[in-house]
Amino acid sequence: MSTAFHALHHADRPLLLPNAWDFASAAVLAAAGFAAIGTTSLGVAVAHGLPDAAGMARAETLALARRLVRLPCPVTVDIEAGFSADPGEVGDLVAELADLGIAGINLEDGRGDRLADPATQTALIREVKSRAPAVFLNARADTYWLGLDASVPATLDRARRYVDAGADGIFVPGLAREEDIAAVTAAVPVPVNVLHLPALGLDRLGELGVRRVSTGSLLFRAALHATVTTAVAIREGEPLPAGIPSYAEVDALSR
């Protein structure tokens, strides 16, 4: 699966990676024909009553990964900042994910409301790659996401360090201006990942050099909206939304 997942980043069109939060959401996306499935750390954490990006959802993330490897497509897992400040422990986690058959991970350099020291993050990436060399390591630079050093030069400085340490891809959530996207993709020698941008479709992002587009927490948030919308419709005696799958269709996802 890892080799196939790597190859998906070099197709004619950017890889659209939908992000799931449990087995059912991942299975229904795989059944819809998506080439690979990612997870959303917000969805996994909040679905278990935990805050995102707080390093508290390690067990839940690992348990989900064990289920998702049943899917017929590559899976990449968002592990926040690694759920530990100890590079060895993060390496242990990624090695375990690799043994399960997980094809990739996201590893962010945000630490709450601050950015990790780039030298510390570089050492972490190097340790993870030494423990699980086949796993596609998507190194996330949170300069734009956190609004800290939100500039192309600062982002490129981190990206180049992470690539030198072994990162297979660079993820810059919050990067949205066409000129900034083009500048980053032109200077980074590995596939660049951005979040879905409503104003820019896949084809335009591909023209700008983007190789992977993630939905992030969007699908999870949309599912919460659909849940409330449906419940309110029942309460108010309004028609239900069209296209709701049947009990049998959903139950079949786990068979």
Side-chain angles (χ1 to χ4, degrees), residues 84-92 120 123-125 127-128 131:
S84 174
D86 182 345
E89 291 183 358
V90 181
D92 288 343
T120 300
L124 175 59
I125 291 169
E127 173 67 17
V128 169
R131 297 291 308 281

Side-chain angles (χ1 to χ4, degrees), residues 4-243:
F5 187 57
H6 280 254
L8 290 173
H9 293 78
H10 300 281
D12 293 336
R13 202 168 188 232
L15 169 65
L16 176 59
L17 187 74
N19 298 90
W21 58 94
D22 61 8
F23 180 82
S25 58
V28 76
L29 289 165
F34 286 93
I37 306 296
T39 65
T40 161
S41 64
L42 176 71
V44 174
V46 174
H48 289 89
L50 301 170
D52 185 29
M56 298 174 65
R58 183 186 191 280
E60 291 77 10
T61 299
L62 189 54
L64 177 58
R66 291 193 183 101
R67 297 186 180 96
L68 295 188
V69 292
R70 295 164 48 190
L71 298 176
C73 63
V75 173
T76 181
V77 174
D78 188 337
I79 63 168
E80 299 184 10
F83 303 117
S84 174
D86 182 345
E89 291 183 358
V90 181
D92 288 343
L93 171 62
V94 180
E96 185 172 357
L97 290 170
D99 288 343
L100 289 173
I102 293 298
I105 61 163
N106 269 353
L107 185 62
E108 63 194 42
D109 66 357
R111 298 292 187 273
D113 60 354
R114 65 181 179 86
L115 291 166
D117 174 73
T120 300
Q121 189 72 3
T122 296
L124 175 59
I125 291 169
R126 189 172 288 112
E127 173 67 17
V128 169
K129 286 300 292 185
S130 73
R131 297 291 308 281
V135 169
F136 189 103
L137 194 159
N138 203 36
R140 189 172 121 175
D142 280 343
T143 46
Y144 284 83
W145 187 248
L146 296 180
L148 302 171
D149 287 338
S151 67
V152 169
T155 302
L156 288 178
D157 177 66
R158 287 177 176 269
R160 289 171 176 139
R161 290 173 184 245
Y162 300 163
V163 171
D164 288 345
D168 301 288
I170 296 295
F171 182 20
V172 191
L175 188 66
R177 287 161 43 103
E178 288 197 14
E179 54 267 41
D180 291 349
I181 294 171
V184 170
T185 60
V188 174
V190 297
V192 172
N193 182 184
V194 299
L195 282 175
H196 161 67
L197 297 167
L200 299 174
L202 285 180
D203 291 334
R204 179 55 183 153
L205 288 170
E207 292 170 356
L208 293 171
V210 172
R211 303 314 313 150
R212 171 165 148 184
V213 178
S214 301
T215 61
S217 65
L218 175 60
L219 301 183
F220 175 66
R221 292 182 285 113
L224 295 180
H225 179 264
T227 297
V228 175
T229 298
T230 302
V232 169
I234 295 170
R235 184 182 67 191
E236 303 299 326
E238 298 172 352
L240 295 180

